[in-house]
């Protein structure tokens, strides 16, 4: 009898260990995957973990990260914003083109105003007209891209005297040895994280995204909350355009093409639920950095640029799978 009881206890203990391992992998599997990739990249490239390379990756990821901060708020509120790539193209072309015409200060102000106006249109159609966010922002993506082509005439735009303008500070400058884009990324992430975690406004956004009907019955003005999230997203895109334009000192009409995919990949990697009501700005920052380091490692190993898109697809599928596994407490569903 004692041996039978010991056998049962051993089986129960084995099941607990297995369940614990599955729970850990489903909750932290993407971080394990990231650490494995970091270790593998460091074995094949001595430059990968160097200080200069790390700072370069963080600086390059800052543009995607700045946009992702705003889009995370939109997704937590239960919606999507697929227009950020085209919006980035529009804002960057606009601020660069207007630089030599009305001066850097005027160009920056007008760019922010018009970008916020686009965000307001998105917010009005989705928040007040109650249209589907996927359809609205997908249509806006196309509309903005057409607007950029009309405005630029299909031509690239450049700043004439690139060495004689303070505009370069936002993309090329340093403060205490830290690149300005990294500082801007960090400041925005901190501010939005504090707002979302410790203010009544942040709690309302989580409530609207988690249970819209209950939020309305609780007296929350859902339409204004949704509207405000798209203003935040547009503001972050404008900040990213400021960094991108001042770093390159020029722009193409399709410079933001594909950014919406990279932004969503970073957000999904951070664990923000596409269903709304759950997410974290800090985790989005981590997700963006994971994506940046993996892409950098592939380049250092000599893989062509297009492999980044293939790897990004694999990472998105893996992240979504692990997120679902974490919710159902198993890696594979038992239903047919």
């Amino acid at each position: 009898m004692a041996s039978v009881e010991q056998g049962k206890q051993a089986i129960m203990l084995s099941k607990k260990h297995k369940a614990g391992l599955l729970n850990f992998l489903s909750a932290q599997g993407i971080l394990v995957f990231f650490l494995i990739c970091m270790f593998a990249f460091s074995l094949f490239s001595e430059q990968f973990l160097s200080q200069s390379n790390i700072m370069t990756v963080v600086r390059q990821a800052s543009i995607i990260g700045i946009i992702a901060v705003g889009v995370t708020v939109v997704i937590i509120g239960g919606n999507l914003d697929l227009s950020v790539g085209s919006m980035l193209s529009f804002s960057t072309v606009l601020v660069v083109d207007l630089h030599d015409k009305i001066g850097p200060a005027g160009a920056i102000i007008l760019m922010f105003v018009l970008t916020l106006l686009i965000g307001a249109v998105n917010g009005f159609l989705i928040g007040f007209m109650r249209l589907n966010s996927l359809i609205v922002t997908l249509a806006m993506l196309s509309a903005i891209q057409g607007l950029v082509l009309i405005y630029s005439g299909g031509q690239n735009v450049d700043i004439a005297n690139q060495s004689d303008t303070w505009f370069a500070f936002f993309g090329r400058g340093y403060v205490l040895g830290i690149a300005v884009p990294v500082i801007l990324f960090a400041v925005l992430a901190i501010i939005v994280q504090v707002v979302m975690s410790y203010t009544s406004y942040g709690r309302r956004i989580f409530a609207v995204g988690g249970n819209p009907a209950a939020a309305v019955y609780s007296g929350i003005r859902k339409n204004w909350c949704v509207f405000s999230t798209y203003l935040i997203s547009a503001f972050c895109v404008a900040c990213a355009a400021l960094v991108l334009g001042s770093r390159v000192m020029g722009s193409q009409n399709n410079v933001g093409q594909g950014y919406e995919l990279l932004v969503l990949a970073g957000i999904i990697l951070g664990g923000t639920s596409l269903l709304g009501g759950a997410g974290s700005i800090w985790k989005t920052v981590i997700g963006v950095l994971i994506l940046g380091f993996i892409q950098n490692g592939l380049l250092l190993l000599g893989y062509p640029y297009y492999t980044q898109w293939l790897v990004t697809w694999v990472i998105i599928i893996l992240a979504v799978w692990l997120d679902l596994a974490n919710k159902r407490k198993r890696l594979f569903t038992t239903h047919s």
Side-chain angles (χ1 to χ4, degrees):
M1 291 294 295
S3 60
V4 173
E5 290 296 328
Q6 290 177 354
K8 289 182 178 180
Q9 291 179 0
I11 293 174
M12 291 294 295
L13 187 62
S14 176
K15 289 183 177 180
K16 287 183 179 180
H17 285 309
K18 183 179 180 180
L21 178 61
L22 291 176
N23 289 335
F24 175 78
L25 289 176
S26 63
Q28 307 295 339
I30 195 64
L31 291 179
V32 174
F33 173 73
F34 171 61
L35 292 175
I36 293 174
C37 289
M38 292 283 285
F39 177 73
F41 288 142
S42 65
L43 290 179
F44 294 100
S45 175
E46 297 179 356
Q47 301 177 0
F48 183 70
L49 293 181
S50 65
Q51 181 179 355
S52 60
N53 187 62
I54 291 175
M55 292 304 299
T56 298
V57 172
V58 176
R59 183 178 181 180
Q60 292 175 343
S62 62
I63 295 177
I64 297 174
I66 289 171
I67 301 174
V69 168
V71 177
T72 299
V73 178
V74 173
I75 293 177
I76 290 175
N79 297 289
L80 293 172
D81 191 352
L82 299 180
S83 65
V84 291
S86 292
M87 200 185 304
L88 178 65
S89 297
F90 169 79
S91 302
T92 307
V93 168
L94 186 66
V95 72
V96 171
D97 183 64
L98 293 178
H99 178 279
D100 292 343
K101 297 178 179 179
I102 62 176
I108 293 171
I109 293 173
L110 186 57
M111 182 270 289
F112 267 86
V113 170
L114 293 180
T115 306
L116 287 173
L117 180 61
I118 294 174
V121 173
N122 281 336
F124 175 77
L125 293 175
I126 297 168
F128 290 91
M129 300 298 292
R130 298 185 179 181
L131 301 181
N132 183 275
S133 62
L134 176 64
I135 303 301
V136 169
T137 56
L138 190 60
M140 184 62 76
L141 179 152
S142 178
I144 297 174
Q145 195 61 45
L147 183 63
V148 174
L149 288 172
I150 294 172
Y151 178 83
S152 65
Q155 302 296 318
N156 298 340
V157 293
D158 297 286
I159 294 176
N161 299 318
Q162 300 183 6
S163 59
D164 298 329
T165 175
W166 52 265
F167 181 70
F169 172 78
F170 300 102
R172 303 180 180 182
Y174 289 85
V175 176
L176 301 178
I178 303 176
V180 172
V182 177
I183 295 175
L184 182 59
F185 178 25
V187 170
L188 279 175
I190 292 172
I191 292 175
V192 177
Q193 173 68 25
V194 170
V195 170
M196 294 299 292
S197 300
Y198 302 105
T199 67
S200 59
Y201 170 78
R203 290 190 289 271
R204 288 196 296 269
I205 299 301
F206 275 100
V208 168
N211 194 328
V216 172
Y217 284 121
S218 300
I220 297 175
R221 302 175 70 179
K222 175 188 171 184
N223 50 1
W224 282 106
C225 285
V226 172
F227 180 81
S228 66
T229 61
Y230 282 94
L231 288 182
I232 293 174
S233 179
F235 178 81
C236 290
V237 171
C239 292
L242 179 62
V243 171
L244 181 59
S246 61
R247 186 177 75 180
V248 182
M249 288 294 183
S251 181
Q252 299 174 331
N253 54 68
N254 61 348
V255 68
Q257 184 177 359
Y259 269 77
E260 59 277 346
L261 174 62
L262 295 175
V263 167
L264 282 177
I267 293 173
I268 294 172
L269 276 173
T272 296
S273 174
L274 293 179
L275 300 178
S280 168
I281 303 299
W282 288 124
K283 290 184 178 180
T284 291
V285 172
I286 295 173
V288 170
L289 293 179
I290 289 174
L291 192 63
F293 277 110
I294 291 177
Q295 292 178 339
N296 174 257
L298 292 173
L299 289 178
L300 289 178
L301 293 180
Y303 288 95
Y305 179 77
Y306 60 81
T307 57
Q308 296 183 18
W309 296 101
L310 298 176
V311 172
T312 299
W313 176 83
V314 173
I315 292 174
I316 291 176
I317 297 300
L318 179 63
V320 172
W321 174 46
L322 292 175
D323 178 60
L324 291 175
N326 187 40
K327 288 180 173 61
R328 64 189 179 218
K329 302 304 180 184
R330 60 175 64 93
L331 289 176
F332 300 97
T333 179
T334 57
H335 301 287
S336 58

